[in-house]
Amino acid sequence: MNGRNAIVERTSAVQRTAVPAVLAAAVLLLSACSGDGEDPPAKESNSASSPGKAGEPSRSADPDLPPAEGSAKVVKTLAEDLKSPWGLAALPEGDLLVSSRDEATITRIDAESGKKTEVGPVPGVAPAGEGGLMGLALSPAFASDHYVYAYFTTESDNRIARFQYDEKKPAGQQLGAPDTVLRGIPKGTIHNGGRIAFGPDKMLYAGTGETGETGLAQDKSSLGGKILRMTPEGEPAPGNPEADSLVYSWGHRNVQGLAFDKEQRLWAAEFGQNTWDELNQIGPGKNYGWPEVEGKGDEGAEFVNPLEQWSTADASPSGIAWAEGSIWMAGLRGERLWRIPLDGTKSLAEPQAFLEGEYGRLRTVVAAGENRLYVVTSETDGRGSPEGGDDRVLVVEVE
């Protein structure tokens, strides 16, 4: 599937960016739509790992750390012919729930056979542009309450609702009535965020976008351009930076990746505009700079620098997951799976790229246990070049 011609998810507004000095002059000449036509040449990928002894990936000196160079191999295509898949959540017994952004339905996928069964539609979804039915998450008490949480776009806002899931009911009728947890997240045709995840603290985290109105990211009274932290009922979580606020971190452009590592640290991926996409380690009350800074800025400034940054042609990141000591990041425009090996909150080695151009745009990554990931492609979202079988859920073995 090499040579797919994906359209970049970028805005039409020109923003101030903070980039290395050698790029500053070039940045001033960029228009905000510079990536919307012909994609600039992508950087050379380092996806081929250098072999260690007996062909194994080279290892770091500390056996508790991941290899400096890893590997990623698709071992199975679990499901095919999905339409605009976006969110993915694993049920306790191993089967998967996947959302369709544009069809506003949730489908169950058998973890062994890949058989698809429609769970039901989500009422009130108004798909348009980058909005629709997006992130999914299971309640921490799913075994008893059977709640599935969903982030979606309506005619008036983005919101989070929960639904009781009863698999004993007929296919297509297994979702209960929506119980709205949070409403009033700004919506737009672009930058709706959409990823949700329950943390180790059993609080619900949500990544939002600034909808193209860049000022929302620095406005702490707005829910746009933020990472939000709330109770399962949608109230400000205990220990938030401000007791009466859902805002956990701010200064974000469009957060679509959330993951926790084994030390319970939160990581997030977000889209840059024309220059730098980011992977950030998230701290409470921290400001990540948008729109004053895109990518890494001056050391010691009021904004937190990303751990890693990529050109927009190489990444345009959506979902992320932690597995085998590394963050794994899906690339939409970049059409590749990035591996970022970690030593605490620092990079252990340079990021590696895998699956480059093989399956097209990659939307979502979920840890599948042991050394495996589920990776969801995104060729049928209106910005890809779908081929037979698109879209897919892949099972990827990693190190």
Side-chain angles (χ1 to χ4, degrees), residues 195 197 205 227 248 252 255-270 278-283 288 305-308 318-322 325-328 340-347:
R195 198 70 61 181
Y205 294 75
I227 293 175
Y248 189 69
H252 298 288
V255 176
Q256 287 191 6
L258 296 174
F260 293 87
D261 64 21
K262 69 176 182 178
E263 301 299 329
Q264 304 185 3
R265 292 177 292 242
L266 176 60
W267 298 83
E270 68 178 276
E278 301 179 2
L279 175 68
N280 288 293
Q281 200 276 305
I282 303 300
Y288 290 82
N305 277 333
L307 176 74
E308 294 287 353
S318 188
I320 61 173
W322 182 90
S326 298
I327 294 291
W328 300 83
I340 304 94
L342 299 178
D343 180 356
T345 58
K346 298 179 180 179
S347 295

Side-chain angles (χ1 to χ4, degrees), residues 92 133 142 147 197 210 219 222 253 268 283 292-293 355 358 363 389:
L133 177 58
F142 182 82
Y147 275 131
E210 33 77 309
D219 179 359
S222 170
R253 186 170 183 265
E292 302 303 318
V293 179
L355 312 183
E358 296 180 31
R363 170 69 68 180

Side-chain angles (χ1 to χ4, degrees), residues 19-32:
V19 295
V22 295
L23 295 176
V27 170
L28 292 175
L29 297 175
L30 285 171
S31 71

Side-chain angles (χ1 to χ4, degrees), residues 14-273:
V14 177
Q15 305 299 336
R16 261 178 65 206
T17 59
V19 295
V22 295
L23 295 176
V27 170
L28 292 175
L29 297 175
L30 285 171
S31 71
C33 295
S34 62
D36 288 348
E38 182 178 345
D39 288 350
K43 295 178 181 177
E44 182 179 351
S45 170
N46 57 346
S47 60
S49 60
S50 301
K53 292 182 180 180
E56 294 296 321
S58 62
R59 303 203 66 85
S60 59
D62 187 340
D64 293 329
L65 296 176
E69 296 184 357
S71 61
K73 177 183 179 182
V74 175
V75 295
K76 182 178 181 179
T77 298
L78 177 61
E80 296 185 326
D81 298 316
L82 297 166
K83 303 304 179 186
S84 60
W86 211 102
L88 192 73
L91 293 164
E93 63 268 35
D95 288 357
L96 304 175
L97 297 180
V98 61
S99 64
S100 169
R101 188 193 69 183
D102 297 341
E103 296 187 344
T105 57
I106 297 176
T107 296
R108 181 169 178 155
I109 300 173
D110 186 282
E112 296 298 326
S113 68
K115 178 184 177 182
K116 303 190 294 285
T117 303
E118 184 174 319
V119 172
V122 173
V125 178
E130 295 173 13
L133 177 58
M134 294 176 282
L136 298 178
L138 300 186
S139 164
F142 182 82
S144 58
D145 66 26
H146 306 293
Y147 275 131
V148 176
Y149 286 70
Y151 182 117
F152 56 93
T153 311
T154 73
E155 292 289 353
S156 60
D157 63 1
N158 284 300
R159 64 183 58 177
I160 299 169
R162 61 186 181 184
F163 307 79
Q164 282 197 318
Y165 173 39
D166 186 351
E167 61 184 89
K168 295 179 181 180
K169 290 187 176 181
Q173 302 175 36
Q174 297 173 348
L175 289 181
D179 174 17
T180 300
V181 171
L182 177 66
R183 66 181 75 229
I185 303 170
K187 63 161 283 188
T189 56
I190 57 173
H191 302 184
N192 289 286
R195 198 70 61 181
I196 55 175
F198 277 96
D201 56 3
K202 299 183 180 181
M203 296 295 111
L204 180 61
Y205 294 75
T208 73
E210 33 77 309
T211 71
E213 295 186 26
T214 59
L216 297 183
Q218 292 294 322
D219 179 359
K220 287 197 286 185
S221 68
S222 170
L223 299 180
K226 309 294 189 298
I227 293 175
L228 310 176
R229 178 175 177 264
M230 68 199 80
T231 68
E233 293 73 36
E235 298 298 324
N240 274 6
E242 297 180 12
D244 60 347
S245 174
L246 298 167
V247 174
Y248 189 69
S249 64
W250 48 303
H252 298 288
R253 186 170 183 265
N254 190 21
V255 176
Q256 287 191 6
L258 296 174
F260 293 87
D261 64 21
K262 69 176 182 178
E263 301 299 329
Q264 304 185 3
R265 292 177 292 242
L266 176 60
W267 298 83
E270 68 178 276
F271 292 87
Q273 180 172 276

